[in-house]
Amino acid sequence: MNDFVGTGTLVRLALRRDRILIPIWIVVFVMTAAGSAKATMDLYTDPKALVDAARTSNASPALVSLYGRIFDESSLGEVSLFKLTAFGALLVALLGGMLVVRHTRSEEESGRLELLSAGVLGRYAALTSALIVSGATVIVLGLLTALSLMGSGLDTKGSFAFGLMWAAAGLSFAGVAAVTSQVTESARAANGLTAVVLGMAYVLRAIGDSSADGSTQWVSWLSPIGWSQQVRAYAGDRWAVLLVPLVFLAVLIAAATALIGRRDLGAGLVRPRPGPPRAAKSLRSPLALAWRLHRGSLLAWGFAFLLLGLLVGNIASNVDGFVTSDSAKEMVQKLGGVEGITDAFLATEMGMVGLLASAFGIQAALRLRSEETALRAEPLLATGVSRAQWLASHVLMALLGTGVLILVAGLGSGISSGASLGNVGRQVPRMLAAAAVQLPAIWLVTALVVILFGFAPKLVTGGWALYGVFLLIGQFGEIFNLPQWMINLSPYGHTPRLPGGDFSVAPVLWLTAIAAALTITGFATFRRRDIG
Amino acid sequence: MTSAIVVSGLHKSYGSTHALDGLDLEVATGEVHGFLGPNGAGKSTTIRVLLGLLRGDAGDVSLLGGDPWGDAAKLHRRLAYVPGDVNLWPNLTGGEVIDLLGRLRGGLDEKKRDELLRRFDLDPTKKGRTYSKGNRQKVALVAALASDVELLILDEPTSGLDPLMEEVFRQCIEEERQRDRTVLLSSHILSEVEALCDRISIIRRGKVVETGTLADLRHLTRTSIHAELAGSPNGLAQLPGIHDLDVQGNRVRLEVDTAQLEAVMRQLSASGITSLVAQPPTLEELFLRHYEDDVPAQDSQEPEAAVR
């Protein structure tokens, strides 16, 4: 038991540190689930409308690959919540994983764990406490979600199945993060590795779910997110499936503890190798340093965006083949034939890609603050580098980086949709344009981080909060019947829908102008404030 | 002689805490100036204002003849800075950081870079995250000392170094002095300041309370004397400037204000000295005199004049 001494203390310390963060996350998830259920239920008062809607969704490979299959087309609960089944599980998994990294590798990297380890602290105490905190968070989140869904009028069994399958996804990725935290030396890399596994899990289930003849449906069973879907909440409630993630978690915990036994505190499994004794000739400006600091993450994101683009384009080319039901055919006619529905799908997906690219922009701009608080900005600003030059180096990485990402995704989707539709020459420029129009909104959100950094550096992570608000407005604004002025607050709502939609220059110019104004103000305020 | 740094009446507060409370500091060109004070006295805040990282609330600051806030980048090409807490980029090697910082200052002396790496026994191929505190400090020191600059600003540069490396550091600063470079050395290690510095400023609660050469400062303090005399001592008690007089038979122990030393010696030799030990005041004693009322309790808020 000596190896676990101090676990309780660390759990209390973690809860003390996260006493605001964790409740906020739980409330966001619970409200999103309940609000989404309520809104959709109000739409489908007629059972026939419900079945029709479910059939249309199941007939659309785009929707199936994005959200998953509806197993019981007459189940009110499942149809109401299918958009949040796999996607919600993904977000809960992200939370579960992040919490573990935050309380293990981050602490170790900062040296704080070393301070504590010198006291009476068992070898496994940090990991155990992180798993307890993360596990308890996702389980409480799941149970409260179940209660809130019951409150919305859905049946008890299904609601608990739904809440617990969310929690199960969180537990699986708490386990994944437990392992990645042992493998890498930096928290950033541990989070990145967890996100890669999570992305792969989501893609695997998308491949399995969208299998047209059912021959590759087993692929979904390779994915922890797939397991959550296979619980089939409100559509049979298969409780036994919940055992799969529990076994998965147990295996990962065993692996992580074995790894802890084999490494030193502070070290990772991947040994750092010696590097060059001299800097490359090109490393002689703040911009060169910023490129060096961002290039690894930009390359990884770029690769992911290329795959995403290719995948999206590929799915789009099959959209017409799945339109079988009468209602769907009618919808296709309204949307302007097969090309119309393909374009509508691609436009929606490019919007999603734009949202994802913004996350890179925010993260890259937040690097400014982490460089400052880690006291790495100070020695640079004590050389011939001016504040404006230093700020510009990271801001350029954020703005150009998002540009590269979105264009890579546009290129990928243009090539793959063009290849299968037989008109690459036409599709590539159309998709590049569809990608390019996302940029002003992305830049505006990135610029919000820049102005916060200049004006109120302690609140800079509020950039994520604003991003979350814009996301919620986009996803739920119309369901919740928010007033139009509120919906208009989100920059993403003003992006022209391309390909296929109408293009107007005005919103693009406006968004760009606001982004530029915010960035310039960020520069001006940063030059006036104290560093540190 | 011109001054590399002139600060007068500098104030800086963070919310309700007064970090600097009317600080005056003058560092002459070509001197090694010790900036002495305990943790939290305001040394780092002063240095950050000098570097234009913080803006003073009131007071005048001149650095190498310019304004450190307005001309920051221009002035920084003529100086090198070693922070008290050195953090490196986790995936850059020490060698890369040295080159980068040097180039951003406008150039490195290649020969000196190699020589310093050897003297400080630093492996430049290790990644930033794998260096210990002392080694991170060496990276910053090598980068600063190999730069061709007029002014070195060092904020507790030896806090993570072992005694061997501290010795190397002292030699390096000695060499800088011979090259007539100006050095501002903030420290709380008295022996280091005593060994290296031409002049010293002692900072206390955001104010410089004492400044001058070590000899000047010693003048303000007492020399302690142990003497054995041939006959019994007389007349000592009447002399001015004598403290803690302790006479036991022919043995005398006393402390004397350095200004009154001559009169005391004359009085002692009148009785015939058989053995004598005289100790000059140490910097430690000097330092403690300014801080002795901080040691027992923090509630004393009396004006500085009372301490003098």
Side-chain angles (χ1 to χ4, degrees), chain A residues 185 275-276 280 371 374 378 530, chain B residues 12 81 87 89 93 103 125 129:
Chain A
E185 275 198 0
E371 287 286 292
E378 204 179 282
D530 288 346
Chain B
K12 175 78 192 172
Y81 164 56
N87 271 348
W89 295 273
T93 64
R103 288 169 189 173
T125 66
R129 70 165 71 88

Side-chain angles (χ1 to χ4, degrees), chain A residues 109 185-186 266 272-286 288-289 292-293 367 371 373-387 389-390 526-532, chain B residues 12 14 48 51-56 69 72-74 76-77 79-81 83 85-97 99-101 103-105 108 110 113-114 117 124-127 129-130:
Chain A
E109 189 184 19
E185 275 198 0
S186 77
R273 276 172 310 183
R278 299 301 310 250
K281 284 267 180 293
S282 55
L283 186 62
R284 55 184 319 110
S285 67
L289 176 64
R292 177 74 189 271
L293 298 177
R367 187 76 191 234
E371 287 286 292
T373 51
L375 301 178
R376 289 192 289 254
E378 204 179 282
L380 286 178
L381 293 173
T383 66
V385 176
S386 72
R387 291 187 181 205
Q389 280 175 305
W390 178 73
F526 176 64
R527 287 176 64 179
R528 254 162 260 263
R529 75 168 171 86
D530 288 346
I531 304 285
Chain B
K12 175 78 192 172
Y14 303 100
R48 289 197 170 126
L51 290 169
L53 297 168
L54 303 179
R55 189 182 348 217
W69 180 265
K74 208 177 76 201
H76 290 168
R77 291 207 183 84
L79 63 84
Y81 164 56
D85 268 321
V86 182
N87 271 348
L88 304 176
W89 295 273
N91 51 351
L92 262 66
T93 64
E96 287 179 306
V97 173
D99 286 343
L100 175 71
L101 290 177
R103 288 169 189 173
L104 294 177
R105 275 183 203 118
L108 269 181
E110 295 290 329
R113 178 189 188 275
D114 295 342
L117 281 177
T125 66
K126 281 174 80 177
K127 295 277 172 72
R129 70 165 71 88
T130 60

Side-chain angles (χ1 to χ4, degrees), chain A residues 258-507:
Chain A
L259 291 174
I260 288 180
R262 287 161 151 270
R263 67 179 187 86
D264 296 331
L265 188 67
L269 207 62
V270 186
R271 288 256 156 238
R273 276 172 310 183
R278 299 301 310 250
K281 284 267 180 293
S282 55
L283 186 62
R284 55 184 319 110
S285 67
L287 193 62
L289 176 64
W291 164 244
R292 177 74 189 271
L293 298 177
H294 289 274
R295 74 179 176 195
S297 100
L298 184 60
L299 275 175
W301 279 73
F303 185 65
F305 269 62
L306 182 63
L307 286 184
L308 189 66
L310 289 169
L311 185 76
V312 163
N314 192 41
I315 296 169
S317 61
N318 298 324
V319 167
D320 62 306
F322 283 84
V323 181
T324 47
S325 71
D326 288 342
S327 62
K329 274 182 183 149
E330 203 176 302
M331 207 169 82
V332 169
Q333 288 312 313
K334 274 191 206 153
L335 285 166
V338 170
E339 182 167 314
I341 197 171
T342 309
D343 281 352
F345 170 75
L346 283 172
T348 306
E349 294 304 295
M350 279 326 280
M352 293 281 290
V353 172
L355 285 175
L356 288 173
S358 309
F360 175 85
I362 294 172
Q363 173 229 266
L366 281 176
R367 187 76 191 234
L368 285 163
R369 181 62 181 163
S370 61
E371 287 286 292
E372 184 186 359
T373 51
L375 301 178
R376 289 192 289 254
E378 204 179 282
L380 286 178
L381 293 173
T383 66
V385 176
S386 72
R387 291 187 181 205
Q389 280 175 305
W390 178 73
L391 183 60
S393 69
H394 288 279
V395 170
L396 270 178
M397 286 299 137
L399 297 182
L400 296 182
T402 52
V404 168
L405 292 182
I406 197 89
L407 290 179
V408 161
L411 186 67
S413 63
I415 289 172
S416 66
S417 66
S420 36
L421 297 170
N423 56 359
V424 176
R426 177 173 130 82
Q427 204 62 10
V428 167
R430 289 181 84 221
M431 288 313 295
L432 283 176
V437 295
Q438 310 293 332
L439 271 177
I442 298 173
W443 284 345
L444 197 157
V445 174
T446 308
L448 283 171
V449 178
V450 177
I451 193 174
L452 278 174
F453 176 69
F455 197 70
K458 287 189 180 121
L459 303 178
V460 78
T461 43
W464 283 120
L466 289 171
Y467 177 64
V469 169
F470 297 152
L471 266 177
L472 287 177
I473 289 177
Q475 288 282 318
F476 301 111
E478 280 168 26
I479 298 176
F480 283 138
N481 282 320
L482 291 183
Q484 190 59 37
W485 67 264
M486 244 174 162
I487 292 178
N488 285 344
L489 281 181
S490 166
Y492 301 107
H494 302 280
T495 299
R497 285 180 60 82
L498 289 182
D502 292 329
F503 175 73
S504 49
V505 179

Side-chain angles (χ1 to χ4, degrees), chain A residues 143-164:
Chain A
L143 293 176
L144 289 178
T145 301
L147 290 178
S148 78
L149 291 175
M150 280 165 60
S152 315
L154 291 169
D155 72 89
T156 309
K157 250 180 85 188
S159 299
F160 274 94
F162 188 89
L164 289 178

